[in-house]
Amino acid sequence: MPRRPPRKVDPSLDLSRNFRHAEELPPTFDPQALYGRDGEWEVEMGSGKGLFLSTAAKLNPARDFLGIEIAHKFALAAAARLAKAGLTNAMLVSGDGLKLFHEWIPDNRLSAVHVYFPDPWWKLRHRKRRVLNEAFLKDVERTLIPGCLLHFWTDVEEYFQSTLELIPRACNLEGPLPVPEKPAEHDLDYRTHFERRMRLHDKPIYRAEFRKKL
């Protein structure tokens, strides 16, 4: 099911605390420059409209969150959601997440990595474009703090199963660990807008977690 386009962002909205182009990031990893502190840090690959980031940032004010979204319009829309909520512990980066993970995020630094409903790239000749590829999984293992988790959800069973098969070949994460589905308490009690759409249409969602070994 394709993503619906985001709403236009109010040009008067101040996004200075919540949005960066990848080229505007500090040349080396520097949480102080981004958030004014150096605490626990989580990254979401492919943030869409930013529902997960905004919810997680509200619930965990002591943690800092970075969303990476390659689609510029979606990155701006997600940043606008954060700005409207006054959240200073979450930021969107518009750019290539695979490149950022490989070149910019240091070893043993992330408290969690989140990948929710990535593009399945249905055609066989396009499968190499999938986010959850061998190189990225190696970077996930490298950047996670020991004992911390990779969260992976998708509505595509083939993508889910092929990723479960790929992970033990690509890296040394423990899992898959089960993720129970909980009933939604209100209309936006979902990790992402895509999860909301799937569950409202009674579509299956495949969930797993993987832990970096201590």
Side-chain angles (χ1 to χ4, degrees):
M1 190 177 294
R3 294 196 291 185
R4 295 175 181 172
R7 296 178 181 177
K8 291 185 178 180
V9 174
D10 181 352
S12 68
L13 191 63
D14 182 7
L15 302 181
S16 60
R17 295 293 300 271
N18 302 108
F19 180 80
R20 294 283 191 284
H21 292 281
E23 297 78 13
E24 297 172 341
L25 291 170
T28 58
F29 180 84
D30 186 0
Q32 287 283 356
L34 295 175
Y35 302 101
R37 62 182 182 181
D38 189 1
E40 294 188 64
W41 212 65
E42 302 188 17
V43 173
E44 182 187 22
M45 280 282 283
S47 296
K49 298 176 183 177
L51 179 58
F52 167 73
L53 279 185
S54 62
T55 302
K58 288 176 186 176
L59 294 175
N60 302 277
R63 289 194 174 199
D64 295 319
F65 296 85
L66 184 73
I68 306 172
E69 174 58 57
I70 196 167
H72 182 70
K73 289 182 179 180
F74 279 90
L76 282 174
R81 175 186 289 269
L82 300 174
K84 289 177 182 178
L87 295 167
T88 59
N89 63 323
M91 179 178 294
L92 258 294
V93 171
S94 175
D96 183 345
L98 297 177
K99 179 179 175 67
L100 284 172
F101 255 87
H102 188 65
E103 298 180 359
W104 189 67
I105 300 177
D107 297 358
N108 303 310
R109 190 60 185 80
L110 302 182
S111 297
V113 176
H114 304 267
V115 184
Y116 299 124
F117 305 98
D119 191 327
W121 291 105
W122 293 102
K123 295 181 180 179
L124 283 174
R125 68 178 183 273
H126 293 157
R127 296 281 172 87
K128 61 185 178 181
R129 301 181 185 178
R130 287 179 170 178
V131 166
L132 286 156
N133 58 41
E134 184 171 347
F136 174 65
L137 289 167
K138 290 181 184 299
D139 278 327
V140 169
E141 182 184 12
R142 176 184 62 78
T143 57
L144 278 174
I145 297 168
C148 291
L149 296 173
L150 164 66
H151 304 262
F152 168 48
W153 296 14
T154 179
D155 62 312
V156 180
E157 185 176 13
E158 180 278 326
Y159 196 172
F160 185 74
Q161 295 299 336
S162 64
T163 301
L164 297 193
E165 295 171 5
L166 175 62
I167 285 177
R169 301 198 305 267
C171 58
N172 197 27
L173 298 174
E174 295 177 325
L177 310 174
V179 182
E181 180 179 321
K182 69 178 184 68
E185 296 181 5
H186 52 79
D187 187 51
L188 287 179
D189 187 25
Y190 302 93
R191 289 254 171 145
T192 74
H193 284 92
F194 209 97
E195 184 201 3
R196 177 179 180 274
R197 290 171 63 194
M198 292 300 100
R199 288 177 61 178
L200 290 177
H201 287 85
D202 293 321
K203 301 293 185 181
I205 296 171
Y206 306 94
R207 302 169 171 85
E209 295 176 350
F210 298 85
R211 180 184 295 114
K212 181 173 180 176
K213 293 182 179 180
L214 295 171

